[in-house]
Amino acid sequence: MHKRKSIMLLSVIMTIALAGCSGGNNSAKSPATASPGTETAEALADGKIVSSPLTLTYFVEMSGSPAPGVKSLNDMAAYQETEKKTGIHIDFKHPAGGQEKNQFNLLMSSGDYPDVIQWGWNDYPGGGVGAMNNGVIIPLNDYIDKFAPNLSKLLADNPAIKKEISTDDGRIFAFPFLRSDPYLRTYFGLGVRQDWLDKLNLQMPTTIDEWHNVLTAFKEGDPNGNGKADEIPLLIRKDTMLNFSNVFLNAWGTSGRFNLKDGKVLYGPVQPEYKQFLQTMRTWYVEGLIDRDYAGTDDKQKDAKWTGELLGSSEMAVGGGIGKYTNAMKAKNPDFNLVGAPYPTLVKGDKPVLGQLEPIFNSVGAAITKNNKHVEETVKWLDYKYGEEGSMLFNFGIEGKSYEMKDGFPTYTDEIMKNPDGLSFATALGRYAVPFGGPLVQDKRYQEQNASLPQQKDALNTWMNVENSNWLPPLSFTNDESARLAAIMTDITTFRDEMFDKFVMGAEPIDNFDSFVKTIEGMGLQEALEIQQAAYERYLKR
Amino acid sequence: MKLLREWSRNKYIYLMLLPVVIYYVVFLYFPMYGLQIAFKNFSPAIGIWGSEWVGFKHFVSFYESYYFWRLIRNTVMISLYELVFGFPAPIILALLLNEIRKRVFKNIVQSITYLPHFISIVVVAGMMVDFLSGDGLINQLTSLFGIPSVSFLIAPEWFRTIYVSSGIWQGIGWGSIIYLAAIAGIDPSLYEAAKTDGAGRFKQILHITVPGIMPTIIIMLILRFGTLMAGGSLEKILLLYNSTTYETADVISTFVYRRGLLQMDYGFSAAIGLFNNIMNFILLVSANTISRKINNTSLW
């Protein structure tokens, strides 16, 4: 009898345990947004989407530097205005800063999805296609045709954009962040101290040889004038250089990742040109032209080196580099003049081939999850941002407050451009609108005012002057392909990064380049190339 | 009947045990259900049950991975360094503390050596990054003697030394507590007897204190063997390593973190984690068995 008692006790424990676990699931499955009676609302006269209040949940990362007082995107004027217009309230779920990717991954594995997820879908295994195939998010084609007149019109008028945002089988998985103007897609390159060049009577370098001369002169000529040879002529950063900006690499017509040559997909680091690139970096490192600590220099230290007048050149962004350092140094050293340098080539006068260029659609967009019970309303709400009114709202904010129309040109007010509290352009604008990284079409007129310094404008034009026809467009892969690709490329990329440091710092002689190539091939490069090639051919047939 | 008597006599003790049992069932046994994803092509959207079985695919692909042997080597080497240098340190400290006769001084030393244990590992790592950088405190000190500066945290050959020595600094005081307690349990009459026989301080340590705490040392050592394949603390390595030092710093747990949590390859990660734990289990059992055979001290 008492044996039974202890068994009962055990079963009580088990029940509590099970209840504890399944209880969470049950509550998760019940829709977080219970709001009945949202009938088709096309007939609503006041432009509202819904007749009774509706709340949608929305997962999105907060942009890098939120303005003081902006705790959630509901504190941003553009979203407040949208809520007034549409009658839909958004319950934003923001991941903690610095934890975004982990929290996105946890969200994905929890199965408890909000109504909308705005994210760079390339981070999901298999990309947006993978997320659709796994049933996390739903294909939007039919909904866009029926309920999204603004986006539909945009796609009908621009078949090129439609091709970019569709998968191989023609599905659309997100309301995309679009940058169609080339002016918006390049914002990164080499920056160099023009005042140092002037002081040493040097021309702006355009070839690798000229760069060598300039860097040597920076090292020996004491351009910062403190009597010490403490100048660091060049700071490089391998992850941006190999994965993103491609500075210097482009001189040899190669890259640190996959690119095209005569319609064939190649992997840059196994080409003979990559060896020459490494050889040059090695020589520069030995001669002390490259920062000895480049591998361990983080953003904070980079800032300190720039504002400490130690650096002569490095890669940088137009806003977070040229803009940031120029403003920081304005008071300290009025001569400080940081400008964009052209992508170097081997032969003088050649046009650079592979520079930094973001695709029109870089997989950032707002997708609707399978848990969404109000797809129609959500689609209408998202489509608002692609219309005339919504587009102005999310690019420029509120007329009369954050911008004014001057001769038909939306000009940001002084509150944004010369903020009385000393806030930067991006932070001040953040109270009204965040014209990047969300479901909207970025306006060229935003970037023209964002890069407002003459140095920034010139840098953009300089960095844009690149052929850029041999980059791969964003491809879509099947689940199996992307799993294989991820497994192979994890090893290869780690190896490429480690060996870059070893070659440059001299731990591995450049003569061993052949065995470096062999190792990469042994990791399954051929298979990865075939997957990329097949996906590229499917892309061409879209 | 026996069970009934046992229950009525000790029911409150069993009730007190209950929370711990629940804890183990809910947080340690129940999640084992999820271990099956090590043998599946797991996709969170489909769920654990729905994902297809792939057998030992993940284990094979880990074994065939280019980095397999390096991960094993780094994992074992970090643990071995910790074992060789880190394990004896608190024992030595405890023996030294035991010999101090001035109470005040002893208490001060003890408190100071405990303190680092209470600093969060994130803070410790942050301090280390600042101290060890190319122009950090350590390099500024060594440059006074004309030693060229070294960027310690991007030099693979320094990683293990940095990891283990900072670990000793942080854990030595806390780790010595258990040995001090064991020393306190030694019968004082033994020391009296040794003194009468003319044994000096050093002989007393060697022939009374050390044998007196030997069972504790052995138990601690066996437990250590159970973590040999853990390769140090995941958090600390994550905070201190970077791709330049993967050569010596990348261990199984950090690899699992990158593949599993950052790339959402959960099945693969679960497989490596399982492999790792089985290795730890084997090591623990063998260490225990050997110890039982040789000197009759063992966990069970």
Side-chain angles (χ1 to χ4, degrees):
Chain A
M1 182 195 144
H2 287 274
K3 198 166 191 174
R4 195 183 301 154
K5 209 170 176 181
S6 62
I7 288 170
M8 265 176 63
L9 186 70
L10 191 67
S11 61
V12 166
I13 298 170
M14 292 300 285
T15 325
I16 294 170
L18 288 172
C21 295
S22 57
N25 286 340
N26 285 344
S27 66
K29 279 194 186 94
S30 70
T33 58
S35 133
T38 48
E39 296 300 306
T40 323
E42 282 164 276
L44 292 174
D46 53 358
K48 283 213 161 73
I49 294 173
V50 288
S51 50
S52 59
L54 171 65
T55 298
L56 297 171
T57 50
Y58 194 120
F59 177 90
V60 56
E61 151 184 6
M62 283 285 266
S63 77
S65 50
V70 178
K71 298 258 184 308
S72 108
L73 287 181
N74 276 326
D75 297 325
M76 192 175 97
Y79 274 110
Q80 290 169 350
E81 196 66 19
T82 313
E83 184 173 340
K84 264 187 244 159
K85 283 257 155 59
T86 60
I88 292 181
H89 177 73
I90 303 295
D91 178 13
F92 284 107
K93 311 274 188 206
H94 297 301
Q99 297 289 313
E100 291 88 354
K101 185 147 169 51
N102 282 349
Q103 292 198 9
F104 171 78
N105 290 353
L106 283 175
L107 179 71
M108 284 298 116
S109 42
S110 76
D112 181 14
Y113 312 127
D115 295 319
V116 184
I117 299 178
Q118 177 182 321
W119 193 252
W121 288 94
N122 279 347
D123 277 352
Y124 190 88
V129 191
M132 263 191 305
N133 291 345
N134 286 341
V136 178
I137 57 179
I138 57 171
L140 298 173
N141 302 50
D142 293 345
Y143 295 104
I144 290 175
D145 288 347
K146 272 189 221 150
F147 306 115
N150 296 321
L151 184 60
S152 293
K153 182 169 182 305
L154 180 86
L155 296 182
D157 294 347
N158 302 281
I161 295 181
K162 185 162 188 187
K163 188 174 171 180
E164 292 286 309
I165 68 165
S166 303
T167 63
D168 290 337
D169 50 9
R171 287 179 293 173
I172 294 173
F173 63 84
F175 276 78
F177 172 51
L178 293 175
R179 280 176 290 200
S180 42
D181 198 298
Y183 196 77
L184 300 169
R185 292 159 60 195
T186 295
Y187 50 83
F188 206 89
L190 282 163
V192 65
R193 284 284 293 268
Q194 180 68 50
D195 53 325
W196 285 16
L197 290 175
D198 295 343
K199 205 167 181 176
L200 302 169
N201 277 322
L202 294 162
Q203 293 291 312
M204 172 63 76
T206 59
T207 65
I208 294 291
D209 289 341
E210 288 174 7
W211 265 93
H212 184 253
N213 292 339
V214 164
L215 295 178
T216 313
F218 279 180
K219 186 174 171 57
E220 290 159 1
D222 189 28
N224 68 7
N226 65 355
K228 283 189 278 186
D230 56 353
E231 287 86 355
I232 303 166
L234 171 68
L235 172 65
I236 55 172
R237 186 152 177 181
K238 83 183 159 223
D239 49 337
T240 49
M241 192 152 86
L242 299 181
N243 296 319
F244 177 62
S245 72
N246 219 43
V247 294
F248 298 120
L249 274 156
N250 75 95
W252 287 272
T254 187
S255 79
R257 46 195 161 134
F258 291 103
N259 65 271
L260 290 166
K261 195 174 188 183
D262 308 323
K264 278 257 173 263
V265 180
L266 292 179
Y267 187 61
V270 296
Q271 309 304 320
E273 292 87 358
Y274 189 79
K275 183 180 179 183
Q276 294 166 13
F277 157 74
L278 286 176
Q279 182 68 62
T280 306
M281 291 294 119
R282 170 72 190 143
T283 314
W284 290 4
Y285 186 83
V286 173
E287 293 174 6
L289 306 181
I290 293 176
D291 189 350
R292 294 215 160 271
D293 281 343
Y294 79 88
T297 302
D298 60 13
D299 284 341
K300 214 173 63 189
Q301 290 164 325
K302 182 179 172 183
D303 292 353
K305 284 175 183 174
W306 267 113
T307 51
E309 307 230 23
L310 292 175
L311 269 177
S313 58
S314 82
E315 299 160 274
M316 60 183 61
V318 70
I322 295 186
K324 181 155 121 190
Y325 301 136
T326 305
N327 285 329
M329 294 302 288
K330 217 163 22 187
K332 230 163 124 190
N333 177 2
D335 293 332
F336 185 94
N337 185 12
L338 181 58
V339 301
Y343 272 80
T345 54
L346 280 186
V347 181
K348 198 164 178 70
D350 275 4
K351 190 170 183 187
V353 283
L354 291 165
Q356 182 264 324
L357 180 76
E358 285 275 313
I360 291 175
F361 170 52
N362 64 354
S363 94
V364 173
I368 296 180
T369 68
K370 63 168 182 182
N371 289 6
N372 191 318
K373 301 269 184 298
H374 306 278
V375 178
E376 188 188 319
E377 291 85 350
T378 313
V379 166
K380 284 177 181 167
W381 180 81
L382 284 167
D383 187 56
Y384 173 71
K385 299 182 186 182
Y386 292 85
E388 179 70 21
E389 202 179 77
S391 188
M392 288 305 285
L393 191 57
F394 279 86
N395 273 297
F396 301 101
I398 311 285
E399 183 160 13
K401 280 187 177 165
S402 60
Y403 76 98
E404 270 155 20
M405 289 306 267
K406 286 185 184 158
D407 306 322
F409 190 92
T411 313
Y412 291 115
T413 56
D414 281 353
E415 185 189 338
I416 308 296
M417 301 303 293
K418 298 172 194 147
N419 187 276
D421 300 331
L423 299 179
S424 71
F425 169 80
T427 314
L429 182 58
R431 282 182 182 153
Y432 296 95
V434 177
F436 50 83
L440 61 111
V441 182
Q442 194 176 51
D443 201 308
K444 189 182 173 184
R445 295 169 293 184
Y446 150 75
Q447 182 70 317
E448 281 167 351
Q449 298 176 76
N450 177 21
S452 57
L453 296 167
Q455 288 97 325
Q456 289 178 302
K457 287 196 166 67
D458 291 345
L460 282 182
N461 287 319
T462 310
W463 292 339
M464 260 165 53
N465 187 21
V466 177
E467 200 68 61
N468 277 336
S469 54
N470 274 340
W471 285 124
L472 273 176
L475 304 173
S476 63
F477 303 100
T478 66
N479 283 8
D480 283 346
E481 281 176 345
S482 68
R484 281 304 296 156
L485 208 53
I488 296 169
M489 291 316 292
T490 311
D491 282 357
I492 292 185
T493 312
T494 313
F495 187 65
R496 176 200 69 179
D497 288 352
E498 284 178 18
M499 292 305 285
F500 177 84
D501 288 337
K502 284 191 186 167
F503 282 133
V504 173
M505 294 180 177
E508 188 88 23
I510 307 269
D511 293 340
N512 289 356
F513 184 76
D514 290 345
S515 73
F516 164 76
V517 171
K518 275 218 178 64
T519 309
I520 288 188
E521 280 165 353
M523 290 170 168
L525 179 66
Q526 191 54 35
E527 193 186 343
L529 280 170
E530 280 160 18
I531 293 172
Q532 294 274 357
Q533 184 73 36
Y536 176 60
E537 275 155 24
R538 288 199 303 268
Y539 168 85
L540 292 177
K541 286 194 198 114
R542 276 184 200 173
Chain B
M1 276 302 116
K2 217 175 157 192
L3 210 65
L4 164 70
R5 222 177 308 130
E6 172 73 17
W7 171 250
S8 61
R9 200 186 307 149
N10 293 326
K11 58 182 165 219
Y12 296 109
I13 294 177
Y14 280 115
L15 277 176
M16 271 155 62
L17 185 68
L18 193 63
V20 182
V21 173
I22 293 179
Y23 169 83
Y24 271 90
V25 169
V26 173
F27 291 106
L28 296 171
Y29 282 89
F30 193 71
M32 280 190 199
Y33 158 79
L35 262 186
Q36 53 175 297
I37 68 169
F39 305 96
K40 283 187 158 183
N41 225 350
F42 175 65
S43 156
I46 306 169
I48 293 177
W49 269 125
S51 302
E52 63 168 321
W53 292 95
V54 292
F56 284 88
K57 188 183 135 190
H58 296 310
F59 294 88
V60 174
S61 97
F62 176 52
Y63 178 72
E64 287 175 348
S65 150
Y66 178 78
Y67 292 108
F68 178 75
W69 287 111
R70 187 174 83 179
L71 289 169
I72 301 279
R73 188 193 71 213
N74 287 345
T75 308
V76 172
M77 284 304 278
I78 286 229
S79 298
L80 275 183
Y81 267 58
E82 277 191 314
L83 192 69
V84 172
F85 299 103
F87 184 74
I91 303 176
I92 294 169
L93 180 71
L95 291 175
L96 292 175
L97 281 172
N98 188 47
E99 296 304 314
I100 298 175
R101 287 291 165 256
K102 276 240 188 300
R103 248 200 121 66
V104 184
F105 181 63
K106 184 176 171 181
N107 286 345
I108 292 174
V109 171
Q110 262 184 300
S111 306
I112 290 177
T113 51
Y114 291 169
L115 275 180
H117 173 79
F118 298 101
I119 306 177
S120 152
I121 191 68
V122 181
V123 178
V124 170
M127 283 160 53
M128 287 168 67
V129 171
D130 278 346
F131 287 173
L132 294 168
S133 71
D135 51 2
L137 181 72
I138 308 271
N139 274 314
Q140 285 178 15
L141 286 178
T142 52
S143 70
L144 294 179
F145 303 98
I147 301 167
S149 94
V150 183
S151 293
F152 293 99
L153 288 173
I154 58 169
E157 64 271 21
W158 275 100
F159 186 83
R160 287 178 192 136
T161 312
I162 291 168
Y163 180 89
V164 172
S165 52
S166 63
I168 293 175
W169 169 76
Q170 202 183 4
I172 189 167
W174 191 255
S176 68
I177 293 179
I178 189 163
Y179 299 111
L180 282 171
I183 290 172
I186 297 173
D187 187 351
S189 61
L190 290 175
Y191 291 104
E192 307 273 326
K195 256 184 242 162
T196 350
D197 287 350
R201 295 287 285 271
F202 190 72
K203 287 262 175 191
Q204 287 177 32
I205 295 180
L206 208 61
H207 295 293
I208 299 172
T209 319
V210 173
I213 61 172
M214 198 42 105
T216 315
I217 295 179
I218 300 228
I219 295 287
M220 296 305 283
L221 193 62
I222 295 172
L223 287 173
R224 258 306 166 94
F225 270 99
T227 59
L228 197 60
M229 286 292 288
S233 129
L234 166 71
E235 295 87 354
K236 189 167 165 191
I237 297 183
L238 279 182
L239 289 163
L240 289 178
Y241 82 161
N242 54 59
S243 63
T244 325
T245 48
Y246 279 176
E247 176 84 41
T248 53
D250 198 16
V251 296
I252 293 178
S253 55
T254 51
F255 187 74
V256 166
Y257 167 77
R258 289 203 306 276
R259 268 301 269 278
L261 276 174
L262 295 185
Q263 298 187 24
M264 298 170 88
D265 201 345
Y266 298 113
F268 184 78
S269 282
I272 307 175
L274 182 61
F275 161 80
N276 200 359
N277 283 331
I278 290 173
M279 295 297 288
N280 273 332
F281 185 70
I282 294 172
L283 283 169
L284 180 67
V285 172
S286 8
N288 194 50
T289 315
I290 293 170
S291 159
R292 191 173 49 210
K293 288 253 164 69
I294 293 178
N295 50 19
N296 286 326
T297 312
S298 69
L299 283 170
W300 65 83

